[in-house]
Amino acid sequence: MITTLDLAASSSDPVTRRTLANLSLSVAKSKRIVVVTGAGISCSCGIPDFRSSDGLYALVKKQYPDTILKGRDLFDASLFRDPTSTSIFYSFISQLKQSIDSASPSRTHQFIRTLDEKKKLLRSYTQNIDGLEEKAGLIGSSSQGVKVDGKGKGKIRAKDVRNVQLHGDIHRVRCTLCSADLPCKEEYLQLFTSGLAPDCPECTSRSEARIARSARPLKIGTLRPGIVLYDEAHPLGDDIGSIQASDVSRKPDMLIIMGTSLKVHGLRKLVKDFAKAVHASAPPDPLSTKKSWMGKVIFVNKTAPGSEWNGVIDYHIEGETDAWAHKVEEDWRRVRPSDWEVQQTLDNDDNSAFKAMKGVVGKGIRKYLSLYPQLHVQ
């Protein structure tokens, strides 16, 4: 059974308060945490989610009252079959990106970054396309910095990826013909706003080079937002599958799920695979206090998980992800203050200088004591 804890009741209910504190301690003690997130962690950043009454689906209907598109249709790959729905999609995504560009990471994003800095984070996986994890300091799978140059088995360097973007990145575009992956420039955004698709510059360059050689021009593809729609394959699907398999094999000891309704099939499978691996790390004796912090699956969301998650999720923390992240950090700082001490270290040169100075001072003290033996203390 799933244990539900009302975050708001922690101040008045001692049992809830104690259980939440124990979970905070589990976070502090864990060493290989997998984090899975959805749109809910970005709501406090001013970015609406996809399903609430003031979410993106509702905004679509309000903005385009004459269209027959449903909210989900706007994020389904089938929309590219119709020029009108494609134009609406481009226009809407451009407006969404502009709102995202002005957003800052939430406390939850910063909490995930903290887990990484404290060497607790195995990996973060997100459904979000806003790229706020990278603004917080976590390198994403869509980042240019993790791309592999030249031919190889993978397109990205998995070891450098700290946040896997399961649904792509709104800050990038890709060609519908040659699959070129590029940053979303302002000039592209302006065309998207008008419902138009920019020509691919790489296709254009190759075609112009052929024309310069008096050869036949090549077909030129168009650019589209670099997000992954429903019923659409992820361009980095093989790499992401390899990363997930590797992370499962690394024996994660905690799974934290935040701000997602767990409705998407692919995400449900990912969560269940990680939950199984995490539960395998739990102590065999549930009454044992040794390593009792291991093997917990925590779901932080305003709405409860369905019955299918019995045996998968251990704790449902009912409340805002930012509030829970803040509480965990407060509890963590209180019970393990040494984790938050700033280490003052010397580099090799400074260390050598320190040793030399120590030697000089030591000689001076010994000489002084030889002159005044009465000061020498046994």
Side-chain angles (χ1 to χ4, degrees):
M1 290 294 293
I2 300 171
T3 301
T4 296
L5 303 168
D6 184 354
L7 193 57
S10 61
S11 58
S12 57
D13 182 4
V15 175
T16 298
R17 182 167 60 251
R18 185 167 57 252
T19 306
L20 286 170
N22 288 337
L23 291 179
S24 297
L25 182 60
S26 293
V27 172
K29 287 186 174 183
S30 294
K31 300 176 181 178
R32 295 178 299 279
I33 301 175
V34 172
V35 175
V36 177
T37 59
I41 73 165
S42 293
C43 289
S44 63
C45 308
I47 301 172
D49 66 19
F50 285 74
R51 291 182 174 83
S52 65
S53 59
D54 60 344
L56 292 177
Y57 286 178
L59 292 177
V60 171
K61 294 179 181 180
K62 183 177 180 180
Q63 189 169 351
Y64 303 102
D66 297 329
T67 183
I68 58 173
L69 280 178
K70 296 180 181 179
R72 182 186 170 95
D73 295 338
L74 197 61
F75 297 92
D76 193 290
S78 62
L79 67 84
F80 288 118
R81 299 173 187 168
D82 179 70
T84 301
S85 61
T86 303
S87 294
I88 293 174
F89 169 70
Y90 286 156
S91 177
F92 181 72
I93 288 298
S94 70
Q95 294 177 49
L96 174 60
K97 184 183 183 302
Q98 291 175 58
S99 70
I100 287 173
D101 286 343
S102 61
S104 298
S106 67
R107 181 180 288 273
T108 305
H109 293 104
Q110 299 293 354
F111 170 68
I112 302 170
R113 169 64 176 171
T114 296
L115 293 178
D116 194 42
E117 290 175 340
K118 302 296 182 186
K119 310 299 181 185
K120 304 288 185 183
L121 184 70
L122 179 58
R123 196 104 54 183
S124 166
Y125 290 77
T126 187
Q127 295 176 280
N128 299 339
I129 60 175
D130 52 42
L132 289 176
E133 292 84 2
E134 187 137 352
K135 273 190 178 182
L138 293 171
I139 297 178
S141 52
S142 297
S143 171
Q144 194 62 31
V146 302
K147 295 295 185 343
V148 174
D149 295 328
K151 295 182 179 180
K153 291 184 179 180
K155 298 178 182 178
I156 56 177
R157 293 189 301 275
K159 64 182 180 64
D160 295 333
V161 175
R162 304 308 298 136
N163 179 57
V164 176
Q165 294 162 286
L166 298 170
H167 294 168
D169 190 340
I170 200 170
H171 301 287
R172 303 197 68 79
V173 294
R174 67 175 184 268
C175 178
T176 56
L177 183 62
C178 73
S179 300
D181 180 81
L182 305 165
C184 184
K185 298 180 179 180
E186 181 62 31
E187 60 191 88
Y188 304 154
L189 205 60
Q190 290 178 3
L191 286 171
F192 284 144
T193 300
S194 302
L196 303 174
D199 288 340
C200 171
E202 296 200 8
C203 286
T204 301
S205 178
R206 285 192 292 269
S207 182
E208 289 175 348
R210 283 180 59 85
I211 293 173
R213 300 194 305 268
S214 300
R216 184 175 298 177
L218 295 173
K219 184 178 180 181
I220 297 175
T222 57
L223 299 178
R224 51 156 289 182
I227 64 176
V228 181
L229 304 178
Y230 293 115
D231 299 321
E232 184 176 47
H234 198 302
L236 299 175
D238 290 341
D239 293 81
I240 289 175
S242 297
I243 291 173
Q244 181 189 344
S246 173
D247 287 349
V248 168
S249 70
R250 292 168 67 185
K251 300 179 180 180
D253 52 20
M254 175 174 279
L255 173 62
I256 301 174
I257 312 153
M258 296 186 284
T260 172
S261 60
L262 296 173
K263 299 291 185 182
V264 178
H265 172 73
L267 186 80
R268 292 206 305 267
K269 184 180 185 306
L270 179 144
V271 166
K272 289 177 180 179
D273 287 347
F274 276 125
K276 184 177 180 181
V278 165
H279 285 152
S281 73
D285 180 5
L287 299 179
S288 173
T289 57
K290 185 178 180 181
K291 295 186 176 181
S292 59
W293 48 268
M294 295 179 66
K296 291 178 171 58
V297 177
I298 302 172
F299 177 65
V300 188
N301 205 46
K302 289 187 289 186
T303 56
S307 59
E308 72 169 293
W309 298 102
N310 287 331
V312 179
I313 292 172
D314 300 312
Y315 296 92
H316 166 223
I317 299 174
E318 183 182 351
E320 300 285 352
T321 63
D322 286 351
W324 181 71
H326 177 62
K327 175 167 177 51
V328 170
E329 186 170 320
E330 277 192 330
D331 292 341
W332 186 351
R333 286 178 181 274
R334 186 178 65 255
V335 298
R336 293 170 66 94
S338 61
D339 289 355
W340 299 86
E341 292 176 358
V342 177
Q343 296 290 333
Q344 299 292 339
T345 58
L346 297 169
D347 60 31
N348 290 334
D349 292 337
D350 289 341
N351 196 33
S352 299
F354 177 78
K355 287 180 178 178
M357 180 61 71
K358 181 180 178 183
V360 170
V361 173
K363 288 180 181 178
I365 291 174
R366 287 194 295 273
K367 183 177 180 179
Y368 183 84
L369 290 176
S370 69
L371 294 174
Y372 301 96
Q374 67 273 21
L375 298 178
H376 183 64
V377 179
Q378 295 295 332

